Amino acid sequence: PRNNNIQVFIKDRLYPREAAKVSVFDSSVQGGDAVWEGLRVYPEGIVCLDKHLTRLQESAKTLAFTDIPSKEMIKRAIKETLDANGMNNDTHIRLTLTRGEKITSGMDPRLNQNGSCLIVLAEWKPLVYDNNSGIKVISSSQRRNAPQFLDSKIHHNNLLNNILTKIQANVAGKDAGLMLDERGFVAELNGSNLFMVKNEKVYTPFGHACLPGITRNTVMEMCAAEGIAIEEADLSLSQFINADGVFATGTMGELTPVVEIDGRSIPKEDALMQNVLKLFKKKVRGYCESF
Ligand code: PMP
């Protein structure tokens, strides 16, 4: 659904939706030269806000953006946007930082002389997946960007391999596409991380092969704190197909069972997996940070 009468923060002030535009000279248009975060708002605050802001700033620093806004500045822009829209729950914030407007078209960062451009786009949105019924996925022929080509720690806007994967899932009538890494091990879904449960133990692919997601990190810490065995490993598609349970993690969808991979059913009744899902639901608002 279209959120019509929203105010969007761009660079230093709010604009109504119809006027919320970036220049054709912006680095994001010229080269996908931008970093981003997806944030989720609850009445208690924003889930893991500080970690998201750290990842945004570190991604921008790696890419040598200039004039990177401080966490305080970003929080002020978020607050202004949420207040202007009267939003305090069920809200998805697409936080984008572009290298900014270029003096002329081109890729060279030296063409950026006016600092970076912060965009806070807040919209009413439910969780992207139904956490109870779960999602169906297909394995994609599209490989996840390998860290030797583009550092997976940078949360950047070059999303074309994720989009190609999502197109394959759409064509197949499934909810998401599963990407393998360049060696053929499971990496992640096109927009979320993956976990599997086997014989009372939780597994997830190593963080260098996937986006080291903040929800992924929270789940790993939560399991460790609860005495649930959790391990990062190289995991094959066969191991996922034969798992006792599989679930996806991400800020916008929280924890969702994966109930089908390539047409093969995956059970979602596993007691340990259900326990992890319930624990997260119970704790998620405790991870919120007010600001
Ligand atoms: N993998 C990909 C490819 C993503 O785009 C996202 C969402 N940004 C995630 C995983 C989940 O990350 P997070 O838990 O930090 O939202």
Side-chain angles (χ1 to χ4, degrees), residues 36 52 55 155 162 188-193 211 213-216 249-251:
W36 70 285
H52 281 283
R55 188 167 66 183
H155 199 223
N162 307 63
E188 60 181 331
L189 296 184
N190 57 267
S192 44
N193 289 113
L211 178 81
I214 289 167
T215 319
R216 171 184 180 276
T249 71
T251 305

Side-chain angles (χ1 to χ4, degrees), residues 227-255:
I228 297 168
I230 169 111
E231 193 183 299
E232 290 179 287
D234 281 331
L235 301 162
S236 71
L237 200 50
S238 167
Q239 283 173 287
F240 271 84
I241 286 169
N242 291 293
D244 298 331
V246 174
F247 60 97
T249 71
T251 305
M252 307 322 307
E254 296 185 348
L255 271 52

